[in-house]
Each structure stands twice: as structure tokens, then as C-alpha cells.
Amino acid sequence: MKGHCLCGHVSFEITAELPPVYQCHCSLCRRVSGSSSNSALIIAAPNFRWLSGQSGIRSFSTESGFKSEFCQICGSPVPNINASGNAYWVPAGLLSEPVDTSVLAHVYSDSHASWDVGFLSDSLAKFAEMPSEQQWSELCRQHVHDKLANKA
């Protein structure tokens, strides 16, 4: 699975099955995306590879530690590695091909914009904050189990 920024300067490849997507409704993600939420995937570092443009990535960090990395040419948000170096945050909108995954959960749902209420009535999991790695892993495992059960 390949992906790239708006202008195509920054590109990458994911070499594993895609995990579920989450949508973050926090105020920082709304600002960086210019939308109601930021849709992203978490990809294990060994399953991620830069193809081009890595030297053209710029970064912005807030005092709280929120980090946004973006293409210096078009401004698109681009993947960035987490603090521990074991996974990449990947904006789902950068994926170039149709994907076999879906949104699994809404995070920071209590921080949603007052005008963004449609997601409140869907049946997806909602977290007031970012779920722990263990909570997210369990939710993903259950998702895979349900997906396999529905195929049978």
C-alpha cells in the first residue's frame, strides 16, 4: 500500500495489512486537518518505509508535545514516528489506493466540535481520550475476530 502528500513529493509504503482507522476529534487534530476530525492509522515501524521526500518534511510541536509533520511544498500532514520509535502515525487520507480497512473508533469524542454531531449516533467505539495501547490492541483484536466471523 502506497501513499503520498498532495503534491506527491513525500511518499511512503506500508508493507503489512492495514489496521483499523481511528478518528481523533481533539481541537489540535481539528486545527491541523481543517476538518471535524483527523483520520489516522498506527503502523508498526518495521512495516513502514519512506519512498521519497523525507528531507522535505518540516515539523511543528506545541508545548504540550503535540507534533505535526508536513510536506514543505504543499503543507499536507505526513506520517511521523511516535516518541518511542516503534510506530508511525499515518494520515489515512494520504493512502493512494482503495483500502481494506475502516474506521473503528472515535477518540477525544468529548472534545468534538459543537457542529460535529453526526458521529455521536454511529455504533463505533468512542473514547473520551486516546485509548491505551492495550485498549486499542484489544479493540483491534475484537474487530479482526468479528470480521472473520462475518466471513464464515
Side-chain angles (χ1 to χ4, degrees), residues 50-72:
W50 292 108
L51 297 176
S52 67
Q54 193 174 5
S55 64
I57 296 172
R58 297 298 173 257
S59 186
F60 171 79
S61 298
T62 65
E63 289 181 18
S64 68
F66 179 86
K67 179 173 71 169
S68 174
E69 294 193 347
F70 51 93
C71 172
Q72 71 177 359

Side-chain angles (χ1 to χ4, degrees), residues 22-145:
Y22 72 87
Q23 291 183 322
C24 183
H25 296 267
C26 79
S27 63
L28 297 170
C29 281
R30 289 196 314 269
R31 283 185 181 92
V32 80
S33 70
S35 185
S36 63
S37 63
N38 207 337
S39 300
L41 309 101
I42 303 298
I43 304 295
N47 299 324
F48 181 90
R49 184 170 67 98
W50 292 108
L51 297 176
S52 67
Q54 193 174 5
S55 64
I57 296 172
R58 297 298 173 257
S59 186
F60 171 79
S61 298
T62 65
E63 289 181 18
S64 68
F66 179 86
K67 179 173 71 169
S68 174
E69 294 193 347
F70 51 93
C71 172
Q72 71 177 359
I73 297 170
C74 67
S76 293
V78 297
N80 62 70
I81 198 154
N82 66 6
S84 63
N86 63 0
Y88 280 85
W89 172 85
V90 178
L94 299 183
L95 299 175
S96 305
E97 306 161 32
V99 297
D100 184 22
T101 192
S102 60
V103 176
L104 183 58
H106 299 282
V107 302
Y108 288 98
S109 57
D110 289 356
S111 297
H112 70 87
S114 60
W115 48 265
D116 179 25
V117 295
F119 80 94
L120 294 171
S121 61
D122 71 28
S123 61
L124 300 177
K126 293 169 185 63
F127 295 90
E129 296 183 346
M130 183 62 82
S132 69
E133 194 171 312
Q134 182 179 2
Q135 288 172 309
W136 183 249
S137 293
E138 181 54 38
L139 192 61
C140 290
R141 274 193 294 278
Q142 184 61 47
H143 175 72
V144 169
H145 177 268

